[in-house]
Amino acid sequence: MDTTNTQMKTVTYDDAIVRAFSTVTVLWGVVAFLLGVIIAAQLSFWQANFGVEWLSFGRLRPLHTNAAIFAFVGNGIFAGIYYSSQRLLKTRMANDMLSWAHFWGWQLIIVCAALSLPLGLTQGKEYAELIWPIDLLVVVVWVIFGANFFWTLAKRNEKNLYVSIWFYISCIVTIAVLYIVNNLALPTGLTHSYPIFGGVQDALVQWWYGHNAVAFFLTTPPLGLMYYFMVKAADRPVYSYRLSVVHFWSLVFLYIWAGPHHLLYTALPDWAQTLGMLFSVMLWAPSWGGMLNGLLTLRGAWDKLRTDPVIKFFVVAVTFYGMATFEGPLLSIKSVNALGHYTDWIIGHVHGGALGWNAFLTFGILYWLFPRLWGTKLYSTKMAELHFWIGTVGILLYVVSMWVSGVSQGLFWRALDAEGFLKYPDFIEGLSNSIPMYHTRLLGGVLFLGGSLLMVWNLIMTARSGKPVTVSVQVPAQRPAGDKENAWQLLTSAPMLFMIGLIVLAVWFGAAGSMLSPVLLALLIVLGVAMIISYGVHQKRWGHWYGLIERNALVFTLLALVAILIGGAVEIIPTVLASKDVPLQITEKMAAADPVLAEKAKWVQKPYSPLELAGRDIFVREGCYNCHSQMIRPFRHEVLRYGEYSRLEESLLDHPFQWGSKRTGPDLAREGGKYDNLWHYMHLNNPRSTSPASNMPTYKHFKRKTVNVPALERHLAVQKKLGVPYTDQDLALAGQRYASQAKLISDDLAAKSITVPANSEIIAVIAYLQRLGRGPQPLAPVPVAATPAPAVQAVPATTLPAATPAAVPAKTPATKTTPAGH
Amino acid sequence: MFQEFFSRSSQLVWPLIGLLLSVVFFVGVLAYVFLGLRDRGHIGQLAALPFETEETSEGPAAITAGQIGRAS
């Protein structure tokens, strides 16, 4: 910046907010790692659940993931953004009050999460578990953060936006879109809601969010931080600015499409799966471009790797970024995913990214920031070195054990004997084989936690040895003049119009029939040639075009928003339309007229009874989906083990969907009818009584706790608003039907000398489990002579379908397997 | 070929659209960056943005990169 003959003014940075965010990052980091160690211990030793409902794995695992993502990495990101943005924009944050509202609001969210998740208050969707009032708080705090950030952009004293700022912008706008869409829900009360999407729609929206929470919260902001802090630590400019342009735009455009790779071989339409796979593989290029750009930034400064622990943390972080972004596309290839999905391999992959990339980058930033924020030197370099090595060994133990465990599980599940039947039909046998790896993982986690405790001590002592520093900078009194071109002129400039034209023609060409395609192809070529000529004639103007875009925060933000919206729209809108094509009530006349519809009719889901819905709510509350999937993939070994593969039509009414992402226990999609009520009672009460090697927590509190039956009518009413075909009569008779069906199960248990109140939670959970994969179950005793039972006798007839085996699809061909163990 | 492809499902147009979009977008960005963005002086200036300001601090002196070690 030319400051000659220019009056200068002093800008004082707000580093108090950076100190606050940095400090809580350290605190929440330890909490997140400790929770990780606890849940790792629970998988090794079921006793570590302590028989306490709010300490069970299903409730603590969401707390661990939320603490790691939003509390630890989140606060670390904010610390880095506040520090680097002020310096890159040469201005103080726009409004201190907004900064502090952001800080305290975010901490309030974390405390609310820490209280609500162990209490079982959850939405039942991974990384989106927080209940709707907390979601609203998240939105408010995010808007405050965004407003403060964009306001700061508007009052900046530097014309150009450095690459880090681009990544921050993409994070702010994309997370806003993802979070709001995925958390759209209708409340049934202050602490409970049902998502507006159901079944396959919910699955796609959830993983569009889930994957891009990784992308735009755990990847793009840390990449922005990498482009600032690594550059500063190495004291070298970024290796290639042009590569960073390609890195940014390719990453934000491609990432948003990749969500469906979490749903390969599920009931998601095949085209969406293929799209997810292809875009995931394409992501390899920009991800590695970014990684290489980061590593090569150290050119000429590699000697610092020997002496500077900050550089050590950064180099390992970027290396793990490269490893994770190699492994991610690899796992997205359908044939690899067939082996790896639902296994510990995914856990290893995720933790390679979370511990190696996110945590190590954050550690490096903290070690770099603390001495500067407190105007001192790091208390102990040796302690930081020790932290680095302990942490690295911890990550390696964790990741390698999960790779071994995951690949073994995948091979174990799919192993068939010479006759084509399951070689290991008992699921629990595979779990037993994984336990040594779980112990190794636990050791890795303990080491990682131990290393972070060293960091806590080191940073506390660093802060104590210095004093908070106030940093100022001289900038020209006059803000730099804006460019002549306004936003509209930029959006309608030649490069932009050519690009839009090419994209429109390319899309049209793809969708057009054989007659129109040659014409469109010719037009595409003509436009391409015209673009080259235009570039040749106006080379200088084209050369400055990106500079103009990147200096105009509004245009830049709009383009980033469009880039991420395209992928989301192309995937979600057709899926929503496709599932709307399935009529929820197919009459015999409709089925007779359309053979395809007749086939679908066999699978279309019927609404849950009030008791089953209550059981499902408890299933969601306990986080059972953390260990049990409800999605049988179309593989012989899965069909042999669990039954007929899952269809899209079977879970359309599930709000939220419960397809799951991990199988520590077996799939439950067709659990209904595999065991009797007594087995489920014994299993929930003490899983070891039916499956001696199980590591599942006990659910003794199901016997003690009762269902709030009067509230069920409201739950059914909300489901009805969401499109579940309940009638007014179904709602009015909810309590009566609940009691009637519950009595059937409690009477059955009583006949086997088990006395349990009909309104206890265990009855509802058993009813739900017995319903899975089957049609509606009897709501009252079925007359012996009636085969099949025409309708419920004791309860007035309604639209709730009668219990009939017709709704139960035929099971798979006979197997010589025994039912999967638990 | 396309007709046969699409006859299986009207939804199959979406992956094709997605691929075309991404290819055009990616090629466009690459072409622009390596053909259009060639002002080395300007690029160097942008890359150097993190190093531009001379900071002064109140309280203990701010330390520079690499200056770490046991305090006291």
Side-chain angles (χ1 to χ4, degrees):
Chain A
M1 189 187 345
D2 181 18
T3 56
T4 323
N5 299 326
T6 310
Q7 278 204 321
M8 304 298 279
K9 66 178 178 184
T10 302
V11 168
T12 305
Y13 297 138
D14 178 12
D15 282 343
I17 191 72
V18 184
R19 275 188 285 273
F21 272 118
S22 303
T23 306
V24 292
T25 302
V26 178
L27 169 72
W28 292 125
V30 172
V31 172
F33 307 148
L34 180 63
L35 283 165
V37 167
I38 292 171
I39 61 171
Q42 290 174 337
L43 289 172
S44 279
F45 311 102
W46 64 268
Q47 296 89 340
N49 290 278
F50 300 110
V52 180
E53 58 179 286
W54 45 270
L55 284 183
S56 65
F57 179 85
R59 294 195 189 184
L60 283 194
R61 192 254 178 178
L63 184 59
H64 162 64
T65 54
N66 278 272
I69 298 170
F70 299 109
F72 169 58
V73 180
N75 279 306
I77 288 169
F78 296 138
I81 289 179
Y82 277 102
Y83 185 88
S84 60
S85 297
Q86 294 183 84
R87 282 151 178 86
L88 289 169
L89 302 172
K90 297 188 178 68
T91 186
R92 189 183 175 89
M93 291 307 294
N95 188 299
D96 288 1
M97 200 177 72
L98 289 181
S99 299
W100 286 103
H102 174 207
F103 175 79
W104 287 112
W106 198 257
Q107 309 319 308
L108 178 62
I109 289 163
I110 294 166
V111 171
C112 289
L115 294 174
S116 61
L117 292 172
L119 289 173
L121 302 175
T122 173
Q123 295 190 138
K125 292 166 67 156
E126 284 184 75
Y127 322 126
E129 289 92 351
L130 301 183
I131 52 175
W132 68 269
I134 307 178
D135 284 339
L136 287 181
L137 187 58
V138 171
V139 172
V140 170
V141 173
W142 198 257
V143 168
I144 289 172
F145 169 48
N148 199 17
F149 183 84
F150 285 110
W151 189 359
T152 308
L153 282 185
K155 65 185 273 284
R156 68 188 189 270
N157 291 304
E158 166 59 53
K159 269 176 98 169
N160 297 293
L161 298 182
Y162 182 65
V163 52
S164 298
I165 303 292
W166 313 343
F167 282 99
Y168 304 158
I169 289 175
S170 73
C171 162
I172 293 170
V173 296
T174 312
I175 291 296
V177 173
L178 294 168
Y179 203 87
I180 290 171
V181 173
N182 189 48
N183 285 295
L184 291 173
L186 272 186
T188 60
L190 189 62
T191 58
H192 184 261
S193 62
Y194 291 119
I196 66 163
F197 301 108
V200 66
Q201 294 174 7
D202 196 32
L204 184 63
V205 172
Q206 158 61 20
W207 284 115
W208 171 70
Y209 160 85
H211 177 74
N212 289 302
V214 172
F216 288 89
F217 201 80
L218 298 178
T219 305
T220 54
L223 282 170
L225 300 179
M226 176 193 84
Y227 276 115
Y228 181 81
F229 287 98
M230 197 155 170
V231 158
K232 292 290 279 185
D235 207 17
R236 298 275 189 288
V238 61
Y239 171 69
S240 168
Y241 186 83
R242 291 196 297 181
L243 185 54
S244 70
V245 178
V246 180
H247 179 206
F248 173 77
W249 285 107
S250 312
L251 201 78
V252 297
F253 186 82
L254 293 180
Y255 236 127
I256 205 84
W257 300 71
H261 71 213
H262 291 260
L263 299 167
L264 298 182
Y265 290 115
T266 66
L268 184 75
D270 198 45
W271 66 266
Q273 296 183 31
T274 305
L275 205 56
M277 180 186 81
L278 287 174
F279 275 83
S280 304
V281 172
M282 286 195 283
L283 259 177
W284 217 322
S287 301
W288 273 49
M291 175 199 67
L292 292 173
N293 212 4
L295 285 180
L296 290 172
T297 296
L298 288 173
R299 71 205 178 285
W302 284 103
D303 58 300
K304 291 185 178 180
L305 197 57
R306 283 189 296 113
T307 53
D308 189 346
V310 172
I311 295 285
K312 278 193 173 80
F313 276 108
F314 284 161
V315 167
V316 170
V318 176
T319 308
F320 266 104
Y321 173 65
M323 282 170 61
T325 53
F326 169 81
E327 196 181 18
L330 180 74
L331 278 164
S332 301
I333 296 169
K334 285 179 97 171
S335 48
V336 181
N337 190 274
L339 176 77
H341 195 42
Y342 295 127
T343 73
D344 284 323
W345 188 354
I346 309 299
I347 312 301
H349 164 61
V350 167
H351 282 81
L355 302 179
W357 162 234
N358 292 121
F360 263 39
L361 188 82
T362 308
F363 295 157
I365 292 171
L366 291 172
Y367 280 123
W368 192 87
L369 270 180
F370 263 65
R372 283 161 180 80
L373 293 172
W374 272 273
T376 184
K377 291 179 179 175
L378 189 67
Y379 173 69
S380 170
T381 307
K382 283 187 178 169
M383 206 184 283
E385 294 267 358
L386 187 60
H387 174 200
F388 170 79
W389 286 111
I390 292 178
T392 304
V393 171
I395 298 173
L396 291 176
L397 282 177
Y398 192 116
V399 172
V400 172
S401 62
M402 289 298 96
W403 283 341
V404 174
S405 174
V407 174
S408 305
Q409 285 163 358
L411 294 172
F412 180 90
W413 294 343
R414 62 165 52 191
L416 300 177
D417 61 19
E419 294 166 27
F421 291 100
L422 290 175
K423 201 170 176 183
Y424 308 105
D426 192 357
F427 185 92
I428 206 79
E429 206 182 330
L431 177 66
S432 304
N433 291 335
S434 294
I435 293 295
M437 292 298 112
Y438 287 3
H439 294 340
T440 312
R441 182 246 307 265
L442 178 58
L443 177 63
V446 169
L447 285 177
F448 194 84
L449 174 65
S452 71
L453 291 175
L454 286 179
M455 179 187 72
V456 173
W457 177 251
N458 206 356
L459 295 182
I460 288 174
M461 294 308 289
T462 302
R464 285 185 62 178
S465 69
K467 279 198 300 188
V469 178
T470 306
V471 176
S472 303
V473 65
Q474 293 292 310
V475 298
Q478 293 286 324
R479 285 184 49 220
D483 295 308
K484 286 179 197 164
E485 293 83 354
N486 59 29
W488 176 249
Q489 284 169 319
L490 280 176
L491 288 171
T492 53
S493 56
M496 199 74 195
L497 293 178
F498 274 114
M499 197 68 180
I500 292 171
L502 284 174
I503 287 174
V504 169
L505 280 176
V507 169
W508 198 357
F509 168 71
S514 55
M515 294 294 284
L516 199 54
S517 288
V519 180
L520 292 168
L521 186 61
L523 277 175
L524 255 173
I525 294 167
V526 169
L527 196 64
V529 172
M531 191 172 168
I532 293 166
I533 294 170
S534 172
Y535 167 71
V537 175
H538 307 290
Q539 239 183 69
K540 197 172 175 186
R541 206 188 307 166
W542 276 66
H544 284 123
W545 175 71
Y546 188 76
L548 296 172
I549 293 280
E550 163 267 292
R551 283 202 288 269
N552 192 317
L554 175 65
V555 173
F556 194 93
T557 306
L558 277 176
L559 291 179
L561 185 64
V562 169
I564 63 110
L565 285 179
I566 289 172
V570 170
E571 283 177 347
I572 291 172
I573 294 171
T575 306
V576 169
L577 295 177
S579 51
K580 292 268 186 222
D581 285 347
V582 182
L584 294 176
Q585 285 168 319
I586 300 173
T587 61
E588 282 183 15
K589 197 176 167 187
M590 288 161 71
D594 185 348
V596 177
L597 215 51
E599 175 60 25
K600 283 183 177 177
K602 287 199 295 189
W603 300 98
V604 170
Q605 192 182 18
K606 302 288 187 294
Y608 294 109
S609 73
L611 179 67
E612 292 156 1
L613 186 65
R616 189 172 202 276
D617 289 344
I618 297 164
F619 184 92
V620 171
R621 182 191 74 194
E622 297 299 333
C624 303
Y625 60 88
N626 286 293
C627 292
H628 294 281
S629 59
Q630 288 186 28
M631 175 52 59
I632 303 168
R633 297 179 296 172
F635 302 130
R636 176 166 174 80
H637 61 91
E638 295 228 348
V639 172
L640 287 172
R641 190 182 297 280
Y642 301 119
E644 190 65 30
Y645 69 87
S646 300
R647 282 10 185 233
L648 179 150
E649 293 82 7
E650 287 183 272
S651 53
L652 285 176
L653 306 180
D654 282 354
H655 299 262
F657 82 112
Q658 290 288 283
W659 293 2
S661 63
K662 172 73 174 67
R663 286 179 186 156
T664 305
D667 187 276
L668 300 179
R670 307 211 182 282
E671 184 68 4
K674 276 188 180 169
Y675 307 101
D676 63 8
N677 295 332
L678 178 64
W679 188 95
H680 284 294
Y681 174 87
M682 301 288 289
H683 183 242
L684 291 168
N685 203 35
N686 177 14
R688 264 63 56 191
S689 66
T690 52
S691 308
S694 173
N695 62 353
M696 182 172 142
T698 57
Y699 288 94
K700 292 182 193 294
H701 60 279
F702 285 174
K703 284 191 297 180
R704 177 173 40 86
K705 296 181 82 167
T706 54
V707 174
N708 180 4
V709 180
L712 275 175
E713 186 181 336
R714 196 164 61 247
H715 287 217
L716 263 66
V718 169
Q719 293 251 329
K720 187 183 170 204
K721 279 186 189 163
L722 295 172
V724 180
Y726 288 119
T727 64
D728 292 340
Q729 197 179 21
D730 294 333
L731 270 57
L733 295 173
Q736 194 182 335
R737 286 182 178 161
Y738 182 98
S740 172
Q741 192 181 9
K743 189 170 181 304
L744 282 181
I745 297 173
S746 64
D747 285 353
D748 179 46
L749 290 173
K752 291 157 185 164
S753 307
I754 302 289
T755 308
V756 60
N759 64 345
S760 63
E761 288 189 345
I762 199 162
I763 298 291
V765 175
I766 291 173
Y768 173 64
L769 292 171
Q770 293 289 25
R771 169 66 194 273
L772 290 174
R774 299 203 290 179
Q777 296 302 296
L779 301 180
V782 181
V784 178
T787 315
V792 177
Q793 301 300 311
V795 177
T798 72
T799 58
L800 266 181
T804 158
V808 186
K811 277 215 154 192
T812 42
T815 73
K816 68 171 192 179
T817 65
T818 53
H822 285 239
Chain B
M1 185 185 77
F2 281 151
Q3 274 181 337
E4 190 194 344
F5 181 70
F6 289 133
S7 66
R8 291 168 57 199
S9 166
S10 59
Q11 301 293 334
L12 288 175
V13 73
W14 295 104
L16 196 62
I17 287 174
L19 280 177
L20 286 167
L21 265 175
S22 59
V23 168
V24 172
F25 186 85
F26 190 66
V27 170
V29 171
L30 269 183
Y32 181 77
V33 166
F34 291 104
L35 297 176
L37 204 59
R38 290 198 295 191
D39 183 346
R40 285 185 181 276
H42 181 59
I43 289 172
Q45 190 191 349
L46 293 174
L49 277 175
F51 300 104
E52 268 195 2
T53 49
E54 289 279 331
E55 294 178 1
T56 55
S57 59
E58 287 172 26
I63 60 169
T64 55
Q67 264 192 303
I68 47 175
R70 183 179 275 277
S72 74

